[in-house]
């Protein structure tokens, strides 16, 4: 038995001054210990020195393979000119990598406001395939080696979007060795722990018909220090059933992204004469959702613009509402939501799986969203409005797109650019614990600190119910299934 003591313990949505210890037996919390309770000398005692103990934080939507892979790749997020991008690539090349992944490129931060062209990429990486990916993942550019080796690219444009973007990314990622793939998930698990998480929902698949290395990772799940809740990111329902999955989808795309002008809007963008792209028609989605429901599979679909959210929500709405609610079908991202669309979502029974950090990074009247969409930035990432209409809010990083960092994510929810869309701290914490556990149908055993619940705990140095500086927050200890899996005290 492990006895954690001298701690602030988050229980019933508050820190109870009388509750200062927890007793853990194997993988379960067996006793909440109050100040006057007797302590047995047989217990292994861990003094937490006044730290803050939360239910293990859960991230409801991540791309752990790409994220883990890119941790050994080249991060371009700090670059501010084409020259810097090229120098950074040149200085970061490692001999042992067969393919080079440069990621988190944001042309908005670059003085020239453009992507590097193929010749520029060739000048720093002539001998190996290199893929440079936009920060949101919805567009990329290749050097000549990559262009020559990747089959089936349709467009001759240097900037690849939509299908070509997916094809290029997936081809390189599909051709890695098993050891490189497992290594990527190990990197991802470490990033999750450091960010304060015990459980991470993640998808594996090419967002078309292939479930890629799903079996490999499923068979190695007990080797990782966090729980990866896997589901196939594909349209292949038969394979999903064979894999034993209970959920299907993820970033299977109804539309693209706002940064890439491909999120599907009912009205044109402000800075480009386009309404974005609906990748499939209504019938396609209705058929897919109906087929998945016939097999009792929970469905998750990427939809960002109001036209795409309307399309996917309408596909859910053609199903029995009680079934949508029971399965907990997901509108992933759910970013642009006028009031009328919020009413539609409330009626369908779908869940919004959203990304607090998107508002932190790109919201507000001078952010990317306002640049792309004008005043419509005000009706984006509406945590409070959706929640007020009874729609369940689940939160996530969409990592690799934004960091898995619980402090940043909670801060973003509590300090939304639009004051009307802020969540109270306890609601923000709930969205990353109880709600995300509920999304995975595990609410009876995970997501709160209670006797009989699984001993997944995130021990932080900060009280998130008070004002805090997210940059300074540290994860001190992570306990997973009753075991210490991360210790940075
Ligand atoms: Zn997505
Ligand atoms: Zn995603």
């Amino acid at each position: 038995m492990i006895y954690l003591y001298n701690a602030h313990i988050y229980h019933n949505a508050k820190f109870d001054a009388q509750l200062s210890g927890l007793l853990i037996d194997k993988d379960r919390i067996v006793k909440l210990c109050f100040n006057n309770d007797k302590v047995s000398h047989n217990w292994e005692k861990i003094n937490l020195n006044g730290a803050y103990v939360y239910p293990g934080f859960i991230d409801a939507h991540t791309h752990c393979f790409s994220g883990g892979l890119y941790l050994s790749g080249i991060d371009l997020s700090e670059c501010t000119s084409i020259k810097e991008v090229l120098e950074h690539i040149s200085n970061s090349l490692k001999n042992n990598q067969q393919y080079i992944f440069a990621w988190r490129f944001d042309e908005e931060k670059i003085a020239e406001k453009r992507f590097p062209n193929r010749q520029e990429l060739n000048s720093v990486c002539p001998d190996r395939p290199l893929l440079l990916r936009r920060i949101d993942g919805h567009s990329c550019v290749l050097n000549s080696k990559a262009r020559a080796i990747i089959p089936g690219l349709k467009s001759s444009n240097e900037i690849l979007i939509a299908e070509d973007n997916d094809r290029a990314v997936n081809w390189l990622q599909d051709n890695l060795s098993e050891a490189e793939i497992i290594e990527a998930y190990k990197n991802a698990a470490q990033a999750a722990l450091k960010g304060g998480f015990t459980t991470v929902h993640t998808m594996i698949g090419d967002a078309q018909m292939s479930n890629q290395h799903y079996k490999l990772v499923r068979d190695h799940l007990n080797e990782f220090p966090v729980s990866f809740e896997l589901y196939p990111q594909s349209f292949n329902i038969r394979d999903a059933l064979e894999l034993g999955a209970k959920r299907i989808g993820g970033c299977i795309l109804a539309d693209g992204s706002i940064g890439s002008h491909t999120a599907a809007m009912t009205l044109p963008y402000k800075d480009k004469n386009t309404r974005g792209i609906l990748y499939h028609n209504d019938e396609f989605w209705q058929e897919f959702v109906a087929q998945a429901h016939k097999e009792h599979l929970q469905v998750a679909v990427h939809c960002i613009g109001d036209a795409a959210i309307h399309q996917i929500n309408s596909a859910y709405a053609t199903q029995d509402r009680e079934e949508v609610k029971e399965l907990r079908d997901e509108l992933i991202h759910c970013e642009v939501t006028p009031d009328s669309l919020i009413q539609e979502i409330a009626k369908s029974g779908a869940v919004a799986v959203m990304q607090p950090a998107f508002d932190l990074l790109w919201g507000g009247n001078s952010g990317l969203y306002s640049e792309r969409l004008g005043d419509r930035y005000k009706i984006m990432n509406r945590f409070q409005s959706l929640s007020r209409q009874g729609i369940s809010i689940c939160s996530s990083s969409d990592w690799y797109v934004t960091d898995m960092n619980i402090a940043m994510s909670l801060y973003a929810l509590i300090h939304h650019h639009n004051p009307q869309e802020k969540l109270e701290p306890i609601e923000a914490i709930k969205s990353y614990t109880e709600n995300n556990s509920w999304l995975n149908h595990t609410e009876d055993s995970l997501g709160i600190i209670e006797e009989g619940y699984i001993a997944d705990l995130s021990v932080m140095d900060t009280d998130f119910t008070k004002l805090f500086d997210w940059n300074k927050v540290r994860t001190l200890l992570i306990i997973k299934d009753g075991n210490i899996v991360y210790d940075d005290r």
Side-chain angles (χ1 to χ4, degrees):
M1 301 245 225
I2 299 175
Y3 176 55
L4 305 176
Y5 72 104
N6 194 12
H8 297 90
I9 295 166
Y10 194 77
H11 178 245
N12 283 342
K14 62 177 188 300
F15 289 107
D16 180 342
Q18 300 300 310
L19 175 63
S20 59
L22 282 179
L23 188 64
I24 296 169
D25 186 20
K26 300 192 185 76
D27 67 340
R28 298 282 159 162
I29 298 166
V30 291
K31 190 168 163 44
L32 304 185
C33 304
F34 293 84
N35 287 342
N36 297 327
D37 289 350
K38 281 221 177 81
V39 176
S40 162
H41 61 271
N42 291 327
W43 299 346
E44 179 192 336
K45 299 176 192 67
I46 299 177
N47 184 350
L48 291 180
N49 293 312
Y52 296 85
V53 183
Y54 299 87
F57 290 113
I58 301 169
D59 194 316
H61 176 83
T62 65
H63 300 258
C64 275
F65 177 48
S66 300
L69 187 63
Y70 299 162
L71 283 181
S72 354
I74 303 169
D75 183 347
L76 300 174
S77 58
E78 300 298 319
C79 296
T80 56
S81 68
I82 297 287
K83 184 164 171 274
E84 268 183 38
V85 167
L86 298 175
E87 276 173 7
H88 191 44
I89 293 175
S90 177
N91 294 336
S92 311
L93 292 172
K94 292 184 198 126
N95 287 333
N96 61 352
Q97 290 170 330
Q98 50 173 337
Y99 308 130
I100 311 299
F101 295 98
W103 63 306
R104 283 192 164 167
F105 174 79
D106 185 355
E107 76 282 11
E108 296 293 320
K109 281 189 177 173
I110 299 289
E112 294 89 341
K113 301 275 177 211
R114 67 168 175 90
F115 282 69
N117 62 38
R118 190 171 303 154
Q119 260 163 11
E120 287 166 336
L121 295 180
N122 289 344
S123 72
V124 289
C125 182
D127 54 344
R128 280 177 284 174
L130 176 143
L131 178 140
L132 179 148
R133 203 170 188 194
R134 193 179 187 281
I135 185 163
D136 61 10
H138 286 266
S139 44
C140 69
V141 288
L142 305 172
N143 70 350
S144 292
K145 275 276 175 194
R147 183 81 211 189
I149 200 176
I150 298 169
L153 298 175
K154 293 194 178 117
S155 163
S156 55
N157 292 344
E158 289 206 350
I159 298 177
L160 300 180
I161 60 166
E163 276 187 342
D164 276 343
N165 174 57
D166 290 345
R167 193 165 283 126
V169 170
N170 285 321
W171 191 89
L172 292 175
Q173 297 188 355
D174 278 348
N175 282 281
L176 294 167
S177 68
E178 289 194 354
E180 284 172 306
I181 292 168
I182 294 295
E183 184 65 27
Y185 285 90
K186 287 191 172 159
N187 287 344
Q190 289 307 319
L193 293 174
K194 187 161 191 276
F197 294 92
T198 55
T199 299
V200 178
H201 298 201
T202 198
M203 307 80 61
I204 303 180
D206 70 350
Q208 298 297 327
M209 290 304 277
S210 163
N211 293 311
Q212 293 179 316
H213 53 265
Y214 191 101
K215 270 204 190 93
L216 173 76
V217 177
R218 187 197 60 189
D219 295 344
H220 285 77
L221 276 182
N222 57 8
E223 292 172 24
F224 304 113
V226 296
S227 298
F228 286 121
E229 297 297 340
L230 299 184
Y231 61 105
Q233 179 169 265
S234 85
F235 292 105
N236 196 330
I237 290 171
R238 211 189 53 213
D239 270 15
L241 294 171
E242 269 174 26
L243 292 164
K246 302 229 163 20
R247 191 184 332 178
I248 189 166
C251 280
I252 52 173
L253 304 179
D255 63 346
S257 76
I258 287 166
S260 298
H261 293 99
T262 47
M265 307 294 302
T266 51
L267 297 169
Y269 282 73
K270 183 187 163 207
D271 61 344
K272 193 174 177 185
N273 188 21
T274 176
R275 293 177 194 212
I277 308 173
L278 282 176
Y279 289 151
H280 301 282
N281 62 27
D282 296 353
E283 292 70 33
F284 174 91
W285 288 111
Q286 283 167 20
E287 176 68 16
F288 174 67
V289 172
Q291 289 298 328
H293 274 215
K294 210 182 270 175
E295 304 296 346
H296 211 64
L297 284 169
Q298 179 183 14
V299 180
V301 181
H302 161 120
C303 45
I304 286 184
D306 53 351
I309 299 167
H310 169 75
Q311 183 183 47
I312 300 307
N313 188 65
S314 302
Y316 292 148
T318 59
Q319 300 294 304
D320 176 51
R321 183 172 194 268
E322 288 312 307
E323 202 169 276
V324 173
K325 286 185 76 169
E326 161 54 26
L327 288 170
R328 301 162 196 182
D329 290 324
E330 301 179 32
L331 297 163
I332 300 219
H333 308 310
C334 198
E335 285 203 79
V336 184
T337 50
D339 289 346
S340 57
L341 187 51
I342 292 180
Q343 297 299 333
E344 285 178 36
I345 299 168
K347 280 191 197 133
S348 78
V351 183
V353 177
M354 299 166 70
Q355 290 72 40
F358 286 7
D359 174 71
L360 185 72
L361 295 172
W362 303 308
N365 60 9
S366 57
L368 171 75
Y369 293 150
S370 144
E371 194 181 304
R372 292 277 188 276
L373 298 173
D375 265 359
R376 281 169 288 176
Y377 80 88
K378 292 177 185 161
I379 53 160
M380 292 189 65
N381 300 303
R382 301 179 73 187
F383 293 93
Q384 183 60 252
S385 298
L386 286 151
S387 176
R388 213 178 301 124
Q389 292 304 316
I391 298 159
S392 298
I393 304 291
C394 295
S395 292
S396 69
S397 61
D398 204 16
W399 189 63
Y400 60 98
V401 179
T402 73
D403 285 343
M404 279 190 281
N405 179 326
I406 190 60
M408 177 181 75
S409 306
L410 293 175
Y411 180 90
L413 280 170
I414 297 163
H415 300 272
H416 199 289
H417 276 99
N418 180 350
Q420 289 172 345
E421 301 302 343
K422 287 178 183 180
L423 291 187
E424 291 296 323
I426 59 167
E427 291 301 319
I429 292 168
K430 190 175 172 208
S431 85
Y432 270 102
T433 53
E434 283 181 72
N435 291 8
N436 285 354
S437 177
W438 169 86
L439 182 69
N440 202 32
H441 298 262
T442 54
E443 68 273 22
D444 291 338
S445 59
L446 194 70
I448 54 173
I449 293 178
E450 200 57 80
E451 290 173 7
Y453 273 64
I454 292 173
D456 277 11
L457 303 166
S458 299
V459 182
M460 314 296 294
D461 69 349
T462 299
D463 180 351
F464 292 131
T465 66
K466 306 238 170 79
L467 266 184
F468 62 94
D469 175 353
W470 70 264
N471 269 306
K472 296 200 173 125
V473 174
R474 280 181 53 232
T475 303
L476 300 177
L477 195 70
I478 298 283
I479 295 182
K480 172 83 210 151
D481 292 329
N483 298 309
I484 294 176
V485 289
Y486 179 89
D487 191 348
D488 189 28
R489 284 175 292 167

